[in-house]
Amino acid sequence: MRHLLSTGDLSHDEATLILDTAAELAQVGDRSVKKLPTLRGRTVVNLFYEDSTRTRTSFELAAKRLSADVVNFSAKGSSVSKGESLKDTALTLQAMGADGVVIRHSASGAAHRLANWVDGSVLNAGDGTHEHPTQALLDAFTMRSRLGRLEGLRVAVVGDILHSRVARSNVLLLTTLGAHVTLVAPPTLLPVSVHTWPCEVSYDLDAVLPKSDVVMMLRVQAERMHESFFPSTREYSRNYGLDGERLSRMPEDAIVMHPGPMVRGMEISAEVADSPRCTVTEQVANGVSLRMAVLYLLLSGS
Ligand code: NCD
């Protein structure tokens, strides 16, 4: 494995190796000195063309914990705002000797393009509405550590599937790992090609909740919407929002997940967001170990 572009590229064994490696590396996070010398002398470039809080800092921390040199490059304040193309930026990074490039870009397929232009490993940190592989891997890691298994788990992914790269990456990965995914959304927020995805589809959240071990809530990605996809936010919340009442109808040990950023009161109520059954901060913590694992597996060999 040289790049991490899509969870669809991962075999069951490769995905399991990443999760197992993350579990080992998580122990480093519990020590007072959280650093390993593994990637000393290697350079990781964080190339972020889109806003990010969790993913960028998580990759930065992960690379630093492995002793890599990290360069953070954001589109604002770089030559990108002067009109430089992705290819020229890539060639510049290449000339500086980047061993790994972490890229987030608003164009679906940007990470794949980049992989053709640079010698180092490319890690897709979110490309448009296409994929977000490390998010799906950290989600699977969190499910496995909370519930003890992935095989046979019933996972509902709820909300704006149409604009979500998190949903596609999760469906592909979880299916490979033996879980069953049901997407829950209004018809307007499902991609037309959804029938080709290896999962089930429902428009009825209340019917799916009692049969779910994991309920993953997604943010309505208003920044990607140029028309209206539902009548009002109030109606959206009423049909597809998770509140305390709905939470009480989930199986007792079922968990609630969210990739962040959450919009409290929209897809998730404050009560559910703050409940111990919601794993949102655990997901963030696991994200660092998971990204350490991916960086380690991709960069330590070369
Ligand atoms: C997601 C993203 O950017 O795709 N966030 C994340 O990386 N944790 C989801 C979102 O923005 O709603």
Side-chain angles (χ1 to χ4, degrees), residues 54-55 104 132 135 165-166 219 221 259-261:
R54 274 153 291 272
T55 308
R104 169 167 287 196
H132 193 350
Q135 179 69 44
R165 48 200 178 204
V166 176
R219 185 176 64 89
Q221 305 206 2

Side-chain angles (χ1 to χ4, degrees), residues 225-282:
M225 294 184 182
H226 307 293
E227 50 187 293
S228 112
F229 288 85
F230 44 84
S232 70
T233 56
R234 176 120 65 90
E235 173 157 335
Y236 180 86
S237 300
R238 181 150 30 82
N239 292 323
Y240 294 100
L242 190 61
D243 58 10
E245 205 274 311
R246 284 198 164 117
L247 180 71
S248 71
R249 282 186 271 125
M250 287 167 49
E252 219 168 286
D253 51 358
I255 56 171
V256 176
M257 304 183 71
H258 197 303
M262 294 189 281
V263 182
R264 287 166 182 248
M266 178 74 171
E267 74 275 8
I268 191 166
S269 72
E271 182 190 357
V272 177
D274 295 329
S275 123
R277 294 171 69 182
C278 179
T279 62
V280 62
T281 50
E282 237 168 281

Side-chain angles (χ1 to χ4, degrees), residues 79-275:
S79 287
V80 172
S81 53
K82 299 180 186 167
E84 188 166 58
S85 71
L86 177 60
K87 181 164 186 179
D88 288 324
T89 303
L91 296 177
T92 303
L93 300 173
Q94 170 77 17
M96 291 177 184
D99 299 291
V101 182
V102 179
I103 180 173
R104 169 167 287 196
H105 198 286
S106 59
S108 300
H112 284 84
R113 297 299 299 275
L114 187 67
N116 293 325
W117 296 325
V118 297
D119 293 333
S121 294
V122 175
L123 293 89
N124 184 1
D127 62 326
T129 59
H130 181 232
E131 282 226 36
H132 193 350
T134 56
Q135 179 69 44
L137 284 159
L138 76 86
D139 290 338
F141 182 88
T142 304
M143 290 176 212
R144 200 178 73 164
S145 28
R146 270 278 188 134
L147 303 170
R149 69 194 162 102
L150 288 165
E151 184 72 48
L153 272 192
R154 299 161 304 170
V155 181
V157 181
V158 185
D160 182 4
I161 311 292
L162 180 64
H163 301 100
S164 177
R165 48 200 178 204
V166 176
R168 182 184 279 97
S169 287
N170 261 295
V171 168
L172 297 174
L173 178 68
L174 290 169
T175 309
T176 301
L177 293 171
H180 305 293
V181 183
T182 303
L183 301 176
V184 185
T188 49
L189 288 179
L190 287 163
V192 270
S193 62
V194 76
H195 60 275
T196 64
W197 296 24
C199 60
E200 286 176 48
V201 174
S202 170
Y203 309 136
D204 185 354
L205 179 57
D206 290 310
V208 174
L209 286 178
K211 300 182 285 185
S212 302
D213 303 301
V214 176
V215 177
M216 184 185 295
M217 302 307 297
L218 298 177
R219 185 176 64 89
V220 172
Q221 305 206 2
E223 74 278 21
R224 299 192 201 281
M225 294 184 182
H226 307 293
E227 50 187 293
S228 112
F229 288 85
F230 44 84
S232 70
T233 56
R234 176 120 65 90
E235 173 157 335
Y236 180 86
S237 300
R238 181 150 30 82
N239 292 323
Y240 294 100
L242 190 61
D243 58 10
E245 205 274 311
R246 284 198 164 117
L247 180 71
S248 71
R249 282 186 271 125
M250 287 167 49
E252 219 168 286
D253 51 358
I255 56 171
V256 176
M257 304 183 71
H258 197 303
M262 294 189 281
V263 182
R264 287 166 182 248
M266 178 74 171
E267 74 275 8
I268 191 166
S269 72
E271 182 190 357
V272 177
D274 295 329
S275 123

